Amino acid sequence: MPNKNYRIVQLSDLHLTGDNKDYRSEPKLFGKLKGMNDAFHNLASNSIVRESDQILFTGDITDKGDLKAWTFFWDTLEKFNLKEKSTIIPGNHDMCCLGARLPKDDKKLVADDLKKFHAGLAIGNCGALKYPCTIKLNDQIVVFAIDSCNKGNTTAITNAMGHIGYQQLERFARMLYKFRDIKVKMVVLHHSPNIPSNQTATKRGVEKMSELDRWGMEMPTEDRRALRLLCVAHKVRIVIHGHLHRAEDRRVNSVRYIGAPASTQPYNGKFSFFTYEVTPSGAKVIPKLVTI
């Protein structure tokens, strides 16, 4: 048994672009963001990241899913010897249309988006991933990676919404049972499975979201409930996600939910990300918001 804590770093919503001078695609009236590539390079060179045991990328690695941005991502991981300890979770920007399509159900569009994502993975010699999947980090820790991206985000309306689906939830339940004896179970996905109402946000001291924003980003009720019930029943310790670009740390039905800030977005000139220290016995998981 190891005699030191196992450190996991969570980096999220990098929004890497083909060129560092390109702006991030999210619409803003003022101050659109650029420089995400340089910010990620600096993060990857940081000693906390480099000396970690595992890195979890919780989606939106690229801003538009383009292969040039994926190439920069993989080259950076190679440069700092981070690739072998990195786990990739897709975000809506990694396989997206970003409003370029009219609402319709088209299986070909879904397949095209998935091919685009897998082409980005292939640059790093990472095979086509099937979600949910499990990553057993050691005898005490297992990570369950879930795809919450609607199997392709085919329209402007559904692009930012999270959706898991029955088949993935059913496989997730089987995986939870298989690893029932592992002490530390972590669930990793991109979308938030728990966006609080304004009343709850006020109690938690977090920023409120408009009804329109909540509607456009919230998972279907049945997905959120099923995920929560499975996590409670199988003693999942922690659920981590990105997508909302803000730091959150809360408990829901005995499970800890942590939302990550956008790692390449400066907050008062500094960059933030979460780390998770797991004690050798698996008795404690200690999250910490790190600012550099």
Side-chain angles (χ1 to χ4, degrees):
M1 181 179 293
N3 57 9
K4 69 180 183 67
N5 288 358
Y6 190 98
R7 179 188 291 167
I8 300 168
V9 165
Q10 179 189 7
L11 299 179
S12 193
D13 297 87
L14 306 177
H15 288 271
L16 301 177
T17 52
D19 188 282
N20 190 57
K21 296 179 181 178
D22 293 340
Y23 287 97
R24 205 169 69 182
S25 59
E26 277 116 335
K28 285 187 177 182
L29 292 177
F30 306 101
K32 289 183 72 174
L33 188 65
K34 63 180 179 179
M36 291 76 66
N37 294 20
D38 276 354
F40 176 54
H41 184 278
N42 292 337
L43 283 168
S45 67
N46 184 270
S47 60
I48 296 174
V49 175
R50 294 182 67 181
E51 295 170 11
S52 65
D53 297 295
Q54 181 74 14
I55 306 172
L56 302 176
F57 290 94
T58 48
D60 283 1
I61 293 163
T62 65
D63 192 59
K64 296 180 181 178
D66 59 289
L67 298 186
K68 193 173 179 182
W70 276 112
T71 298
F72 176 80
F73 171 73
W74 291 114
D75 286 349
T76 304
L77 293 189
E78 291 279 6
K79 179 177 180 179
F80 295 105
N81 297 315
L82 303 177
K83 180 182 172 184
E84 297 304 318
K85 60 180 179 182
S86 294
T87 297
I88 312 299
I89 312 298
N92 53 302
H93 280 251
D94 297 317
M95 43 185 185
C96 60
C97 62
L98 297 180
R101 299 170 184 156
L102 295 175
K104 63 177 179 178
D105 182 13
D106 189 327
K107 291 183 179 180
K108 182 179 183 302
L109 297 180
V110 175
D112 288 346
D113 281 341
L114 288 172
K115 286 179 182 178
K116 185 179 181 181
F117 173 62
H118 288 140
L121 295 181
I123 293 171
N125 294 318
C126 186
L129 299 177
K130 184 177 181 181
Y131 298 95
C133 60
T134 56
I135 305 97
K136 188 177 179 183
L137 302 183
N138 60 27
D139 290 341
Q140 304 289 350
I141 312 166
V142 62
V143 171
F144 300 86
I146 292 176
D147 174 14
S148 59
C149 290
N150 303 325
K151 297 183 179 179
N153 296 289
T154 56
T155 75
I157 292 176
T158 63
N159 179 64
M161 293 180 182
H163 181 56
I164 300 172
Y166 170 80
Q167 291 183 341
Q168 197 174 185
L169 285 165
E170 191 272 340
R171 292 197 300 271
F172 174 50
R174 291 176 181 270
M175 290 175 177
L176 284 168
Y177 183 76
K178 178 181 178 181
F179 291 96
R180 60 192 179 278
D181 294 327
I182 299 291
K183 286 188 177 181
V184 180
K185 303 179 186 71
M186 297 181 68
V187 171
V188 185
L189 70 168
H190 178 62
H191 294 80
S192 171
N194 176 250
I195 299 178
S197 65
N198 285 345
Q199 183 179 5
T200 304
T202 300
K203 289 180 181 179
R204 290 180 182 169
V206 299
E207 183 183 352
K208 298 177 183 177
M209 293 183 67
S210 70
E211 290 298 319
L212 181 61
D213 283 342
R214 286 185 63 212
W215 178 84
M217 294 185 175
E218 196 164 47
M219 281 186 185
T221 301
E222 60 271 19
D223 276 22
R224 289 185 283 120
R225 287 178 177 173
L227 181 68
R228 184 169 68 246
L229 287 172
L230 285 170
C231 288
V232 171
H234 291 272
K235 299 181 180 179
V236 169
R237 194 80 64 89
I238 195 165
V239 176
I240 68 175
H241 65 86
H243 191 49
L244 300 183
H245 293 198
R246 64 186 193 185
E248 297 180 328
D249 185 353
R250 69 273 192 206
R251 288 189 181 274
V252 183
N253 299 116
S254 77
V255 179
R256 196 165 185 174
Y257 288 76
I258 292 185
S263 300
T264 56
Q265 179 174 324
Y267 297 82
N268 297 320
K270 296 182 178 181
F271 299 88
S272 299
F273 56 90
F274 274 100
T275 63
Y276 305 89
E277 298 276 350
V278 183
T279 57
S281 65
K284 290 184 178 181
V285 181
I286 308 165
K288 181 181 179 181
L289 184 63
V290 176
T291 301
I292 60 174

